[in-house]
Amino acid sequence: SWVALLPVSLSCRFPPANSPLDLVSALSVGGCVAGVAIAAVADAQKTKSKRVKGQEGMWCERGLWYYSRHPNHFGEAVFWASLYTVAAKDTPTWAAASPLFVLLWIY
C-alpha cells in the first residue's frame, strides 16, 4: 500500500513554503470525497441488493450499478487519482506511477 500513498508521502517529505490551497487542489480534495462517496454508496447498494429475497447470487442492477459494472472500483480510482493531483505539484513526476499502479491493481 506504500506505492498507493507515495505522492502523499513525498509531498509530506518536501512540503511547500506556505502554499495556499489553489483551485486544482480544492477540486482534487472534492474528487477524493466524491470517490469515497461513490465507493461507499456502491458497496451499500450491492449489500442491500444481496439481502433481497429471491435475488441472492444475482447481479445488482440498481442505483450506480445500473450505469457501471463496477462503480465501487470507479470510486476507488477517482479517489486515488484525486489524491495524486492534490500532491502532484509538490512531488517528482515519477510519483505519477502511484495512481497508475492502483488502477492496474484494481482492474
Side-chain angles (χ1 to χ4, degrees):
S1 194
W2 66 271
V3 174
L5 290 173
L6 185 63
V8 175
S9 299
L10 290 171
S11 180
C12 290
R13 178 144 166 75
F14 307 107
N18 297 328
S19 177
L21 187 67
D22 61 350
L23 180 63
V24 173
S25 296
L27 290 173
S28 298
V29 169
C32 287
V33 172
V36 169
I38 290 168
V41 168
D43 288 341
Q45 288 173 344
K46 186 172 184 181
T47 300
K48 185 177 178 182
S49 175
K50 285 185 170 191
R51 291 183 180 161
V52 174
K53 292 190 186 250
Q55 289 189 356
E56 299 90 358
M58 295 184 70
W59 190 258
C60 180
E61 294 180 343
R62 295 182 180 195
L64 295 174
W65 295 87
Y66 177 79
Y67 299 103
S68 175
R69 188 168 186 178
H70 297 289
N72 51 346
H73 294 302
F74 173 73
E76 287 244 359
V78 168
F79 172 78
W80 289 110
S82 297
L83 189 65
Y84 169 73
T85 57
V86 169
K89 66 181 177 181
D90 303 320
T91 59
T93 307
W94 58 264
S98 171
L100 296 175
F101 172 78
V102 172
L103 289 174
L104 291 173
W105 185 36
I106 290 174
Y107 294 103

